[in-house]
Amino acid sequence: MDSLIAASARALAAGDALGALKRVALREDPPALALRGIAMAQLGEHPRARELLRRASRGFGVHEELARARCVVAEAEVAMAMRDFGGSPRALAAAADTLDAHADRANALQARLIAARRLLLLGRLEAAAAALAPLDARDLPPSLAAVAELTTAELALRSLRIGPARAALARAHEAAGRARVPALLAEVAETQAALDRPAARRLFPGGEQALRLGEVAALLASNALVVDACRRGVGASDSWRPLARRPVLFALARALAEAWPGDVDREALIAYAFNTRRPDETHRARLRVEIGRLRALIAPQAGIEATARGFALKPRDTRDVVVLAPPIDGEQASLVALLSDGAAWSTSALALALDASQRTVQRALVELEAEGRVRSIGRARAQRWLAPPLAGFTTILLLPAALPIE
């Protein structure tokens, strides 16, 4: 490794992308191309970064598999920043194995952290937890240790384990301070700020109360019957009934919970759950069927009793009934929450994260664009979507596939 390449690598490790570029900007050899690609990625020029990294990977010979593996890892990180999840994770896993075989422990851990962070972005929390479990961030460079702890903290926050999240953030802050990389310090500070922002609203007759993540976690762990409109489910203590794929049942549960301890008129339930203003006998028959299904589903936590004018929720064991609403209203709250991270998402990546069809996501984006809540850049296959950051509250509870509290 010549002196310019070494100096450029040291500048990149310290977060000085411009300083790194000054040293190798005019060079076309594979090591210089790789460093230029990483520098361009740090500056936010992701398409150019990917092109340079691919050129570098092709330039390394067949006997330079270590260098090619490092290029694969860097390109995977760029793809994640571009919210491009179309590639297979096998190449990244193979690169991690190659790095391990050459005793490059730091870059092997970086590859596995990228894989875990990708799973987090897609809402696959259980798979992300399994990927993080065997990783050991001890005796690593401070910047990499900070990323590892940040990933652990994000998983804990998405799982509503506030204590472990705070501990991981404290370790991330300490490691980022040692690394002296401003971008890492800013990311840690932003994640810590999420703990103090409103994450949900507790609805009650005549008003609402903003709740932070810690208060939401405490409420979900209590004995109360919680109808959670953020994650679309019903929970009480250690039990959780997801209803995200059964929207009619969730609409009925929410309507009954909002009226508790009173009842809800049958016509009002039909209008709310079936979105019709002119009910007939078929709607009334369907309401009875759906109420029966909901009654069977939540039987351990509550009963549903028929009244003279409608139905009423009757929780077991003198439980209170609580309705948690998202910090922002609208049917597309989860979509807006994903886009508000400041990154530009493709339609295919959004569909993958939300576990929905691309056509459904496209229709929702068109509606949101008409309302001025999102905007697009590029055209055709290069089209990307983004939304302004949502200041004042955190959208963690709106992100897909949150784990139930245990």
Side-chain angles (χ1 to χ4, degrees), residues 60-348:
F60 286 115
V62 293
H63 299 297
E64 297 175 291
E65 61 178 5
L66 178 60
R68 283 190 283 112
R70 289 172 177 169
C71 287
V72 169
V73 173
E75 187 182 341
E77 189 162 16
V78 171
M80 184 175 63
M82 294 175 67
R83 300 302 187 258
D84 182 357
F85 302 129
S88 170
R90 295 176 184 173
L92 185 59
D97 292 339
T98 299
L99 293 165
D100 269 334
H102 287 80
D104 189 350
R105 179 168 169 263
N107 279 311
L109 179 61
Q110 172 80 343
R112 294 187 170 99
L113 282 174
I114 291 169
R117 290 164 63 195
R118 181 181 185 274
L119 290 168
L120 277 176
L121 281 171
L122 293 176
R124 299 173 184 174
L125 303 194
E126 293 180 350
L132 282 174
L135 302 187
D136 184 2
R138 292 176 296 180
D139 302 323
L140 284 176
S143 59
L144 194 55
V147 172
E149 296 296 352
L150 266 173
T151 307
T152 301
E154 184 179 353
L155 175 63
L157 284 176
R158 295 279 298 275
S159 307
L160 285 182
R161 295 182 289 112
I162 307 303
R166 289 188 184 277
L169 282 172
R171 295 191 297 269
H173 186 271
E174 188 271 336
R178 287 189 287 117
R180 298 180 181 178
V181 177
L184 269 179
L185 287 167
E187 190 172 352
V188 173
E190 176 62 24
T191 307
Q192 287 175 325
L195 289 165
D196 298 319
R197 294 183 186 141
R201 295 172 294 149
R202 178 176 181 173
L203 305 183
F204 50 85
E208 60 184 46
Q209 175 192 5
L211 300 178
R212 292 175 294 184
L213 279 171
E215 295 167 328
V216 171
L219 184 61
L220 291 171
S222 70
N223 194 44
L225 177 66
V226 180
V227 177
D228 186 350
C230 300
R231 299 179 301 162
R232 298 284 177 142
V234 178
S237 189
D238 58 349
S239 66
W240 174 257
R241 297 288 182 271
L243 296 175
R245 294 183 178 275
R246 306 180 76 172
V248 171
L249 294 190
F250 179 76
L252 292 172
R254 179 170 179 174
L256 292 170
E258 288 183 355
W260 180 83
D263 61 353
V264 185
D265 180 79
R266 288 178 176 83
E267 307 298 315
L269 282 173
I270 290 172
Y272 188 74
F274 305 146
N275 195 27
T276 181
R277 295 184 179 181
R278 297 182 178 179
D280 55 27
E281 286 305 318
T282 61
H283 293 109
R284 296 183 184 92
R286 186 184 175 194
L287 176 64
R288 291 192 293 271
V289 171
E290 300 294 353
I291 285 289
R293 290 172 176 165
L294 180 62
R295 183 183 285 126
L297 191 68
I298 65 172
Q301 293 84 32
I304 300 177
E305 296 182 359
T307 64
R309 72 187 199 104
F311 296 92
L313 192 63
K314 300 295 181 182
R316 314 285 187 200
D317 305 323
T318 66
R319 289 184 169 126
D320 289 333
V321 176
V322 177
V323 179
L324 279 183
I328 54 176
D329 291 314
E331 289 296 318
Q332 308 303 337
S334 291
L335 183 56
V336 174
L338 280 175
L339 292 171
S340 66
D341 66 357
W345 288 71
S346 66
T347 306
S348 59

